[in-house]
Amino acid sequence: MSKILFVMTGADHWTLADGTKHPTGFWAEEAVAPYQAFTAAGHEIVVATPGGVVPPLDQGSLAPQFNGGEEGAKKIAETLASMGEMQHALRLEDVDLDDYAAVFYPGGHGPMEDLAVNADSGRLLTSALKSGKPLGVVCHAPAALLAAVEQDGTNSFAGYKVAAFTNAEEAQSGLADKAKWLLQDRLTEAGVQVQVGEPWVPNVVVDRNLLTGQNPASSAPLAAELLKKLA
């Protein structure tokens, strides 16, 4: 089968409006659920991060309340521990898109800190979009789309319909009033058409080769849609 590139955050914190550093990273379910779906279908996963660092896990994402209880939390932690690809991340700067059949961006607040302003990621996203290859992006990872800018200054994803973590969800998570900016607002300002679904309910939007999911619950359905594109 083929290789799927996971582009993941290298940030272990999110700088809030008052300058404090909120501990974060990637969200467990948003990496694990797609990883399991893609590997079960026979695909190989390659991880890339800025600088090739090991992607930091948001420890809060292992809490039982986010994983259907203690048993679910234990299973997701065990799967993460078995994902050796995480320990051998490529430098995002060195990635060649031609080596991959698809690209996937897991979320968590980490991308709000680094991928939102990472030019290498921005160029990769623009190239992936124009290549026609399936491009999956979930939850807070659409922050990375903000760094995908054309030479004339417009956003490469302007006019595309996407799902992304919403203002309502950020408010319910208790961080909206502490954030420097909100993802839904910034995407809208960039000309991206955010399709807002109910909080915490799966919401997957497919627009051409771009596939996006609103929240952690959207990770598995998003992976299923991406696999259809690879079939």
Side-chain angles (χ1 to χ4, degrees):
M1 301 295 278
S2 48
K3 290 183 182 180
I4 298 176
L5 179 69
F6 271 37
V7 180
M8 301 184 67
T9 183
D12 63 2
H13 67 275
W14 179 32
T15 306
L16 302 177
D18 65 359
T20 59
K21 294 182 177 181
H22 176 72
T24 188
F26 72 90
W27 195 260
E29 181 180 0
E30 296 167 28
V32 169
Y35 177 92
Q36 290 177 315
F38 298 153
T39 54
H43 299 289
E44 178 184 346
I45 305 301
V46 177
V47 174
T49 60
V53 303
V54 175
L57 171 67
D58 187 324
Q59 294 296 329
S61 67
L62 292 181
Q65 66 262 37
F66 299 129
N67 295 290
E70 293 284 354
E71 188 61 30
K74 182 182 176 184
K75 282 183 179 177
I76 204 164
E78 288 173 350
T79 304
L80 276 173
S82 73
M83 291 164 63
E85 298 90 344
M86 296 280 191
Q87 306 302 316
H88 303 96
L90 301 180
R91 282 165 36 94
L92 180 57
E93 304 89 302
D94 299 336
V95 164
D96 185 346
L97 181 63
D98 290 343
D99 294 339
Y100 305 96
V103 179
F104 188 82
Y105 276 65
H109 279 106
M112 300 278 282
E113 184 75 19
D114 61 352
L115 298 180
V117 293
N118 186 292
D120 293 302
S121 173
R123 284 190 287 272
L124 178 68
L125 283 165
T126 298
S127 297
L129 187 69
K130 293 179 178 178
S131 74
K133 294 179 180 184
L135 171 60
V137 193
V138 68
C139 200
H140 283 94
L145 308 187
L146 298 171
V149 180
E150 300 290 333
Q151 288 187 337
D152 63 3
T154 59
N155 191 281
S156 300
F157 294 84
Y160 276 78
K161 293 181 174 67
V162 306
F165 202 71
T166 63
N167 291 357
E169 286 166 322
E170 204 70 84
Q172 290 176 23
S173 70
L175 289 167
D177 59 349
K178 301 175 183 176
K180 288 182 181 178
W181 50 273
L182 297 177
L183 180 56
Q184 180 184 331
D185 292 345
R186 285 287 294 274
L187 288 171
T188 301
E189 290 165 9
V192 181
Q193 299 176 20
V194 181
Q195 310 295 295
V196 177
E198 290 296 315
W200 315 112
V201 175
N203 177 30
V204 174
V205 173
V206 179
D207 189 345
R208 289 156 277 185
N209 61 314
L210 176 64
L211 305 92
T212 50
Q214 179 172 315
N215 43 39
S218 304
S219 303
L222 175 59
E225 290 297 324
L226 193 147
L227 284 171
K228 290 179 189 176
K229 293 272 190 184
L230 286 175

